[in-house]
């Protein structure tokens, strides 16, 4: 009690020093609370959005060199690399579906294609190959359908994103509607260029979107496999209409490898004079298993809770090791790719800045306290002479530091909270693409996070304790004989 | 048995490349309940000898015994405990805690270490001390609001708060005018009689020396006189 009394009165007596230290602490805490609340809002929103609507908690995928995510391969490897397919997919899916810890399982494959209308180029789209019944069971409410219907199970076709529709209009001046047909051209290192004509089943937007997501359209998995060369293996003759048969003529196996096809003439000379003919030729489907190709890039999992996610991750990693599978489990952040990376990188940069501010604050506070101790040598000497143990002196100095950090730390928390509350009321508008990616939309309404308050108070507590270490050591070296040497 | 005994105590202070010999083999004994002054000019070693007795400094050689305990054998913690339980201090510059009022300053020694006093007993005792030093109406005042004489009264009451066996006063009248100084010494004498506490104070004022029962005179770190008045003892 007497220690608190001395601490509070000393702080009041030495107003200038108290303010120097206090303002530094309050400003640091203000930035910590406001900054972390801001970042927490972004990451928490992003986490829930992605887990609920796009990635699930966990993603099983193959191992590969280079950076890839649900949005495909990023970086210099983009042109040539191939995302690995999941080995032993059926066993794995069955295993996970039977787990009580897993609430939902959904396979996904990723790719990209150029869009064409007739012979006119109409832009580019990222594609997610889905099995509609499974995809919309796991993510029942992640899209807003502007027209048409969802992709029906077992049907071929595309659900075009509103963004892709807009881009097509910009490129070709044509407006795509449900029921129209588009040509998708996929290029990959395995099978070269593939072109598929698909029906537009619907036009949609993702509920919570980002520039990355906006460009993703949904296609049936068979089409995606064909476009991205995931079906290379056994050659299967396509079912062609009579007209197509007539156009192509009878193709004998011997003729394929016969000298007649090795010709210096261009395809146009051979009669491949229109786009439909090329499509027909491409219709020679190549599948791995003949009837049912189960090539997928990802297996998205929703678990019953966070703890289950950890447990499933550990179980799966053991399973992969035991069965010599070249697979791994990643969390939603991995799947979200660039968007999540950017948000988390920003948080790291922010925390580095805060750490630097705190180191500077630590040095300033420490020096101010040392000066204060030096001025109080006779007082401390007197306490020691009167029988105050070193522990009492230590407690007295530490209490003074902690009182000041607690008082001004609380002030910083209050200021930061008020600031966040104001931002929440007004909202922060994303003025450019960078902020749109970060905010996951046009406006961010940050909320005060308990984590930011707790971490700010913990940081300020550590700061206070650390800042008092050296001054305490100086105080403890003061001999009681110093009480005799100079008056108070 | 003497409450304090010094045996061949020396104290050397390094001063640059030379060594200052503050005490050169001092030996003496102080009896319980004495009102004793250590007199001598500046630099004679008065404060040094008080520091040794007060266990706030250690001799370079020789030993100091308090109640028969050799203080050189004690750890810092034990010495601090000894100071808290056995000794009270009155400083030349009063050394009151500036942020505490009169009552709190007197109470302070009771709060920094263990004592067996019940809170109500403690309150009564502090109020008794305040009344004894004549500061009843100044209880809630801070040191900065008091005169030098009043501050030294607070310091006397504070020194007695833990009911020590020995009170050490380092030139308690040095910062006071002669009239106030005399009042303070008389107050100390009164406390010595009332509480049977051993008072040891240093001074270079011969007028004050006359009030003491036992006088130890120092010059250049050596005792030149160690005498007791006849009513309390035999002159040495």
């Amino acid at each position: 009690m007497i220690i608190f009394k001395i601490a509070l009165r000393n702080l009041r007596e030495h107003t200038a020093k108290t303010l120097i230290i206090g303002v530094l602490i309050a400003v640091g805490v203000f930035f910590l609370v406001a900054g972390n609340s801001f970042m927490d809002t972004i990451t928490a929103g992003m986490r829930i959005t992605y887990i609920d609507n796009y990635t699930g908690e966990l993603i099983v995928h193959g191992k590969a060199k280079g950076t890839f995510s649900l949005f495909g391969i990023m970086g210099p490897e983009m042109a040539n690399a191939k995302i690995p397919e999941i080995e032993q997919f059926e066993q794995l899916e069955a295993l996970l579906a039977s787990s009580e810890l897993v609430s939902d399982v959904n396979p996904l494959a990723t790719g990209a294609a150029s869009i064409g209308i007739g012979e006119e180029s109409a832009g580019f789209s990222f594609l997610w190959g889905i099995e509609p019944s499974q995809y919309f069971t796991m993510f029942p409410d992640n899209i807003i359908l502007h027209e048409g219907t969802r992709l029906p199970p077992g049907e071929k076709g595309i659900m075009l994103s509103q963004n892709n529709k807009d881009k097509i209009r910009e490129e070709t001046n044509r407006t795509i509607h449900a029921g129209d047909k588009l040509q998708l051209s996929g290029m990959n290192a395995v099978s070269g260029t593939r072109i598929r004509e698909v029906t537009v089943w619907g036009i949609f937007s993702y509920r919570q979107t980002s520039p990355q997501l906006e460009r993703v359209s949904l296609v049936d998995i068979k089409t995606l496999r064909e476009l991205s060369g995931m079906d290379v293996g056994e050659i299967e003759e396509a079912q062609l209409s009579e007209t197509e048969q007539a156009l192509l003529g009878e193709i004998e196996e011997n003729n394929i490898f016969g000298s007649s096809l090795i010709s210096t003439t261009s395809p146009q000379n051979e009669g491949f004079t229109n786009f439909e003919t090329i499509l027909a030729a491409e219709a020679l489907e190549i599948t791995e298993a003949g009837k049912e190709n189960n090539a997928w890039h990802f297996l998205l999992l929703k678990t019953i809770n966070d703890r289950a996610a950890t447990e499933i991750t550990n179980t799966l990693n053991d399973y992969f090791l035991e069965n010599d599978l070249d697979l791994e489990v990643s969390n939603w952040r991995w799947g979200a790719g660039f968007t999540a990376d950017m948000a988390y990188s920003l948080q790291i940069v922010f925390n580095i800045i805060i750490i630097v501010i705190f180191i500077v604050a630590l040095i300033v506070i420490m020096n101010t306290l040392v000066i204060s101790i030096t001025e109080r040598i006779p007082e401390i000497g007197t306490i020691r002479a009167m029988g105050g143990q070193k522990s009492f002196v230590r407690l007295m100095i530490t209490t003074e530091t902690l009182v000041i950090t607690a008082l001004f730390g609380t002030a910083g928390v209050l200021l930061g909270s008020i600031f966040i509350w104001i931002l929440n009321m007004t909202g922060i508008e994303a003025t450019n693409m960078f902020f749109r990616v970060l905010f996951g939309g046009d406006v961010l309404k940050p909320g005060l996070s308990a984590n930011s308050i707790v971490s700010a108070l913990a940081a300020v507590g550590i700061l206070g304790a650390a800042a008092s270490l050296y001054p305490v050591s100086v105080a403890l070296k003061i001999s009681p004989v110093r009480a005799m040497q100079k008056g108070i | 048995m003497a409450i304090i005994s010094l045996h061949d105590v020396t104290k050397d202070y390094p001063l640059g490349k030379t060594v200052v010999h503050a005490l050169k083999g001092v030996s003496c004994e102080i009896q319980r309940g004495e009102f004793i002054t250590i007199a001598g000019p500046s630099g004679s070693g008065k404060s040094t000898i008080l520091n040794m007795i007060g266990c706030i400094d250690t001799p370079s050689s020789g030993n100091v015994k308090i109640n028969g305990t050799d203080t050189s054998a004690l750890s810092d913690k034990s010495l601090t405990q000894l100071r808290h339980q056995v000794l009270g201090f009155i400083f030349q510059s009063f050394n009151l805690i500036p942020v505490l009022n009169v009552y709190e300053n007197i109470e302070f020694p009771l709060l920094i270490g263990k004592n067996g006093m019940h809170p109500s007993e403690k309150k009564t005792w502090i109020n008794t001390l305040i009344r004894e030093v004549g500061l009843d109406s100044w209880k809630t005042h801070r040191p900065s609001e008091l005169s030098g004489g009043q501050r030294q009264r607070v310091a006397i009451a504070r020194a007695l708060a833990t009911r020590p066996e020995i009170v050490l006063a380092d030139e308690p009248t040095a910062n006071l005018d002669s009239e106030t100084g005399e009042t303070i010494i008389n107050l100390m004498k009164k406390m010595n009689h009332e509480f049977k506490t051993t008072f040891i104070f240093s001074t270079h004022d011969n007028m004050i020396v006359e009030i003491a029962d036992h006088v130890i005179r120092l010059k250049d770190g050596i005792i030149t006189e160690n005498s007791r008045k006849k009513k309390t003892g035999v002159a040495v």
Side-chain angles (χ1 to χ4, degrees):
Chain A
M1 188 61 193
I2 189 72
I3 283 176
F4 271 110
K5 204 181 274 181
I6 292 174
L8 285 171
R9 290 184 189 172
N10 266 324
L11 296 178
R12 210 167 49 204
E13 289 287 313
H14 306 104
T15 319
K17 284 194 201 86
T18 304
L19 281 178
I20 291 171
I21 297 172
V23 167
L24 263 173
I25 290 169
V27 169
V29 170
F30 167 80
F31 278 113
L32 262 181
V33 170
N36 272 331
S37 288
F38 181 78
M39 296 308 299
D40 285 350
T41 306
I42 290 172
T43 49
M46 193 179 283
R47 181 178 184 273
I48 291 166
T49 301
Y50 271 83
I51 287 175
D52 286 353
N53 300 303
Y54 309 110
T55 61
E57 269 112 348
L58 299 174
I59 302 159
V60 177
H61 58 89
K63 290 180 185 171
K65 285 180 185 171
T67 311
F68 70 102
S69 69
L70 295 189
F71 297 93
I73 296 171
M74 304 292 162
E77 306 93 352
M78 201 168 169
N80 300 315
K82 185 174 181 281
I83 297 177
E85 290 153 20
I86 295 179
E87 300 170 66
Q88 296 184 13
F89 172 82
E90 282 160 346
Q91 294 96 308
L92 198 59
E93 189 187 32
L95 179 79
L96 290 167
S98 65
S99 169
E100 286 177 356
L101 301 175
V102 177
S103 58
D104 224 333
V105 182
N106 171 55
L108 190 85
T110 188
S114 299
I115 301 171
I117 304 172
E119 291 183 31
E120 201 170 0
S121 170
F124 167 87
S125 176
F126 287 113
L127 298 172
W128 279 349
I130 60 167
E131 179 54 57
S133 57
Q134 281 182 281
Y135 184 81
F136 291 116
T137 302
M138 183 180 257
F139 307 122
D141 197 31
N142 69 342
I143 61 165
I144 301 161
L145 202 59
H146 299 296
E147 61 175 284
T149 62
R150 290 182 174 187
L151 187 62
E155 294 288 343
K156 283 195 162 187
I158 186 167
M159 285 178 69
L160 196 66
S161 77
Q162 181 66 43
N163 179 271
N164 280 332
K165 179 187 169 178
D166 296 342
K167 295 273 181 204
I168 291 168
R169 189 163 44 216
E170 280 172 29
E171 297 269 339
T172 65
N173 220 18
R174 291 194 207 185
T175 304
I176 300 295
H177 294 288
D180 290 351
K181 290 196 184 299
L182 297 174
Q183 286 81 47
L184 301 177
S185 305
M187 196 175 78
N188 60 78
V190 182
S191 57
T193 303
R194 297 278 190 80
I195 303 171
R196 291 292 180 272
E197 185 173 71
V198 288
T199 302
V200 177
W201 284 91
I203 310 288
F204 76 99
S205 300
Y206 289 104
R207 278 196 194 281
Q208 295 88 6
T209 191
S210 73
Q212 215 176 1
L213 268 172
E214 275 175 358
R215 303 193 69 183
V216 177
S217 291
L218 301 172
V219 291
D220 68 278
I221 183 60
K222 278 191 108 176
T223 302
L224 186 98
R225 284 179 190 141
E226 289 162 15
L227 289 169
S228 54
M230 292 168 75
D231 54 353
V232 172
E234 189 179 309
I235 296 172
E236 179 188 83
E237 191 173 329
Q239 296 299 312
L240 300 177
S241 67
E242 279 181 18
T243 323
E244 289 165 342
Q245 291 280 6
L247 273 166
L248 286 168
E250 289 293 318
I251 298 175
E252 294 293 333
E253 194 176 324
N254 288 341
N255 290 346
I256 293 172
F257 301 102
S259 58
S260 63
L261 280 179
I262 304 167
S263 164
T264 53
T265 54
S266 67
Q268 281 83 357
N269 294 338
E270 289 293 308
F272 295 104
T273 50
N274 58 43
F275 198 72
E276 285 73 16
T277 324
I278 296 171
L279 286 176
E282 283 288 337
L284 285 169
E285 289 190 0
I286 307 163
T287 62
E288 192 177 51
K291 52 181 177 52
E292 192 61 44
N293 181 334
N294 250 336
W296 294 93
H297 290 142
F298 310 105
L299 199 49
L300 314 184
L301 311 177
K302 274 189 181 175
T303 55
I304 53 170
N305 54 37
D306 287 349
R307 212 172 138 188
T310 313
E311 208 172 313
I312 283 286
T313 304
N314 295 335
T315 309
L316 279 175
N317 282 330
D318 291 344
Y319 178 81
F320 299 154
L321 208 63
E322 281 167 20
N323 293 280
D324 199 24
L325 296 175
D326 210 14
L327 298 174
E328 60 185 327
V329 189
S330 297
N331 62 14
W332 71 272
R333 268 180 65 187
W334 178 89
F338 170 72
T339 310
D341 287 347
M342 199 172 74
Y344 277 86
S345 303
L346 206 67
Q347 193 157 25
I348 290 168
V349 170
F350 169 77
N351 281 321
I352 289 170
I353 293 169
I354 289 293
I355 287 168
V356 171
I357 290 172
F358 265 68
I359 289 170
V360 173
L362 181 78
I363 293 165
V364 174
I365 293 170
M366 205 184 281
N367 279 333
T368 314
L369 285 173
V370 169
I371 292 167
S372 172
I373 297 291
T374 311
E375 287 171 356
R376 291 168 63 190
I377 285 174
E379 180 186 331
I380 294 163
T382 303
I383 291 169
R384 294 281 288 127
M386 288 193 301
Q389 294 285 2
K390 283 184 173 178
S391 57
F392 181 88
V393 175
R394 182 185 291 115
L395 190 62
M396 191 174 81
I397 307 294
T398 310
T399 303
E400 282 182 25
T401 318
L402 291 180
V403 165
I404 198 169
T405 48
L407 283 177
F408 285 90
T410 308
V413 167
L414 285 176
L415 286 174
S417 306
I418 292 167
F419 182 69
I420 288 294
W421 178 75
I422 293 168
L423 287 182
N424 185 276
M425 291 289 122
T426 57
I428 311 166
E429 205 169 318
T431 49
N432 55 39
M433 175 72 91
F434 175 80
F435 287 111
R436 280 199 67 219
V437 173
L438 206 60
F439 296 176
D442 293 328
V443 177
L444 180 78
K445 292 197 166 188
L448 188 66
S449 75
N451 171 51
S452 73
I453 294 175
V454 172
S455 61
L457 290 177
V460 88
I462 292 167
L463 175 78
S468 67
L469 284 179
Y470 180 61
V472 163
S473 78
V474 171
L476 293 183
K477 282 179 191 154
I478 296 170
S479 159
V481 78
R482 299 297 292 270
M484 296 286 194
Q485 291 171 351
K486 192 181 161 191
I488 297 176
Chain B
M1 187 180 68
I3 191 166
I4 299 163
S5 69
L6 280 73
H7 180 71
D8 204 16
V9 172
T10 67
K11 183 67 185 177
D12 302 329
Y13 293 110
L15 188 70
K17 287 179 181 174
T18 62
V19 175
V20 175
H21 304 287
L23 292 177
K24 300 169 184 169
V26 170
S27 297
C28 65
E29 285 190 345
I30 294 166
Q31 300 303 319
R32 193 176 297 274
E34 277 189 323
F35 193 70
I36 180 170
T37 182
I38 297 169
S42 291
S44 60
K46 302 187 296 292
S47 293
T48 308
I49 208 168
L50 277 182
N51 292 348
M52 303 298 154
I53 296 168
C55 304
I56 58 175
D57 204 354
T58 50
S60 302
S61 67
N63 63 59
V64 179
K65 287 183 177 173
I66 311 272
N67 281 333
T69 305
D70 186 353
T71 58
S72 62
L74 298 177
S75 65
D76 179 75
K77 196 171 178 179
S78 302
L79 282 174
T80 307
Q81 209 170 342
L82 180 77
R83 285 197 299 271
H84 184 250
Q85 288 167 351
V86 179
L87 298 159
F89 289 86
I90 300 168
F91 303 97
Q92 184 180 329
S93 303
F94 325 124
N95 292 24
L96 301 176
I97 309 290
V99 295
L100 300 181
N101 64 28
V102 168
Y103 183 94
E104 290 161 345
N105 259 293
I106 296 168
E107 186 191 26
F108 189 67
L110 295 170
L111 303 173
I112 59 174
K114 285 178 189 165
N115 63 79
M117 254 186 254
H118 188 270
S120 61
E121 185 195 352
K122 191 163 68 182
K123 196 174 175 184
T124 309
W125 171 235
I126 294 163
N127 282 324
T128 304
L129 287 172
I130 291 173
R131 197 168 50 248
E132 288 288 340
V133 297
L135 289 172
D136 253 344
S137 52
W138 297 88
K139 261 193 224 178
T140 56
H141 287 70
R142 295 257 186 111
S144 58
E145 297 163 339
L146 304 175
S147 69
Q150 285 173 318
R151 287 184 206 187
Q152 203 57 301
R153 283 164 186 269
V154 177
I156 291 167
R158 182 180 67 180
L160 291 164
T162 54
R163 294 186 171 129
E165 294 173 65
I166 304 158
V167 169
L168 299 167
D170 182 32
E171 304 212 31
T173 59
N175 285 345
L176 304 171
D177 60 74
S178 57
E179 195 183 334
T180 313
E182 203 178 324
T183 314
I184 290 296
I185 294 298
N186 284 329
L187 178 65
M188 284 165 52
K189 180 91 177 168
K190 182 184 150 198
M191 297 298 182
N192 165 247
H193 277 294
E194 273 183 35
F195 302 119
K196 309 295 177 207
T197 308
T198 308
F199 268 79
I200 305 165
F201 64 99
S202 65
T203 185
H204 56 263
D205 186 340
N206 281 326
M207 293 278 283
I208 293 169
V209 171
E210 294 304 313
I211 303 171
D213 307 328
H214 180 173
V215 179
I216 295 172
R217 277 189 198 278
L218 286 170
K219 192 180 177 189
D220 298 332
I222 296 168
I223 294 178
T224 56
E225 181 192 340
N226 187 352
S227 61
R228 289 187 176 89
K229 283 186 181 172
K230 284 183 180 171
K231 63 173 181 177
T232 53
V234 182
V236 179

